[in-house]
């Protein structure tokens, strides 16, 4: 049983992937556009992770596709909007509270948004874009959820049964203020 586990592990060659060397402010500044640009690859990766939640090695290729897309995206940003991007992420990095807050950097954000729209044709996603339900166009088989067997509960109690179940108001106060008298 132990050898089967080691046989399923990926080799070092399979795991070797170039990494995006970006700082946290840079990732945060480009995150919305990256999410929109690499939407399909990220969805495929998440679908794979949901299908193979016990075997992370099964999704290495999908993870490589996400990384490859990230290189493409940030390469385009570097080529076309580097000055605007640097101004924006530097503003985010200079947040005095240390929270990397967007709200203090709206002016550089608008300049970066305009550059992304003009030169790369990507609009800034609206608030809630990533939270909405979107269907995925994929070759993976559709997941069928199991049907639930609901237990038939007995009929609701009648008015007389409810009256019998009522507690005396002296036992339990109806208002919290009576608890502290």
């Amino acid at each position: 049983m132990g050898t089967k586990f080691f046989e399923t592990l990926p080799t070092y060659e399979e795991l070797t992937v170039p990494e995006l060397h970006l700082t946290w402010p840079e990732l945060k500044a480009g995150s919305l556009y990256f999410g929109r640009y690499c939407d399909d690859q990220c969805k495929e990766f998440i679908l794979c992770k949901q299908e193979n939640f016990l075997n992370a090695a099964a999704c290495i290729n999908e993870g490589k596709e996400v990384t490859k897309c990230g290189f493409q995206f940030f390469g385009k940003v570097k080529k076309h909007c580097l000055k605007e991007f640097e101004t924006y992420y530097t503003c985010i990095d200079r947040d005095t509270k240390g929270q990397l807050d967007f709200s203090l950097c709206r002016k550089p954000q608008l300049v970066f948004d305009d550059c992304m729209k003009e030169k790369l044709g990507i609009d800034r996603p609206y608030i809630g874009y990533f939270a909405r339900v979107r269907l995925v166009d994929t070759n993976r088989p559709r997941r069928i959820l199991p049907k639930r067997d609901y237990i038939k509960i007995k009929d609701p109690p009648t008015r007389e049964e409810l009256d019998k179940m009522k507690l005396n108001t002296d036992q339990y106060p109806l208002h919290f203020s009576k608890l502290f008298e």
Side-chain angles (χ1 to χ4, degrees):
M1 186 166 165
T3 57
K4 287 184 181 179
F5 173 75
F6 289 111
E7 290 172 2
T8 61
L9 290 177
T11 63
Y12 284 111
E13 291 80 26
E14 291 175 316
L15 292 176
T16 304
V17 177
E19 294 182 16
L20 279 170
H21 296 287
L22 296 172
T23 62
W24 176 236
E26 293 166 344
L27 285 173
K28 188 164 183 176
S31 63
L32 294 175
Y33 289 104
F34 168 75
R36 192 161 214 184
Y37 185 83
C38 299
D39 201 22
D40 294 336
Q41 292 87 346
C42 292
K43 286 178 185 174
E44 283 291 330
F45 178 69
I46 294 301
L47 285 173
C48 181
K49 294 289 284 183
Q50 287 177 345
E51 288 173 3
N52 304 301
F53 60 93
L54 293 177
N55 184 12
C59 302
I60 288 177
N61 292 331
E62 287 81 357
K64 286 180 180 181
E65 287 298 315
V66 172
T67 305
K68 179 180 171 184
C69 184
F71 271 108
Q72 290 172 353
F73 170 73
F74 284 107
K76 287 182 178 184
V77 170
K78 183 178 179 181
K79 183 176 180 182
H80 298 288
C81 299
L82 180 63
K83 188 179 106 190
E84 294 87 350
F85 183 61
E86 284 179 342
T87 305
Y88 183 41
Y89 80 73
T90 304
C91 179
I92 291 174
D93 194 25
R94 288 186 181 154
D95 179 21
T96 57
K97 298 176 188 172
Q99 297 175 347
L100 302 177
D101 192 13
F102 287 118
S103 65
L104 304 173
C105 302
R106 294 300 179 200
K107 287 181 184 177
Q109 175 187 332
L110 290 174
V111 174
F112 180 58
D113 290 348
D114 290 341
C115 180
M116 291 296 288
K117 187 171 185 172
E118 275 180 34
K119 297 182 179 173
L120 294 178
I122 304 173
D123 288 328
R124 183 179 189 84
Y126 56 86
I127 295 174
Y129 174 79
F130 295 107
R132 71 182 175 122
V133 175
R134 293 170 287 152
L135 294 178
V136 180
D137 186 22
T138 181
N139 296 331
R140 296 181 182 284
R142 188 171 183 162
R143 191 170 85 176
I144 299 172
L145 298 175
K147 281 193 168 188
R148 289 185 171 179
D149 292 331
Y150 290 100
I151 300 170
K152 173 79 172 125
I153 58 171
K154 62 180 183 176
D155 294 329
T158 62
R159 188 74 176 158
E160 293 81 27
E161 291 172 342
L162 285 174
D163 288 338
K164 288 178 187 176
M165 288 192 283
K166 279 188 180 175
L167 298 172
N168 295 335
T169 55
D170 298 338
Q171 278 182 311
Y172 297 99
L174 298 176
H175 200 275
F176 285 117
S177 63
K178 293 183 180 179
L179 289 173
F180 302 107
E181 289 180 347

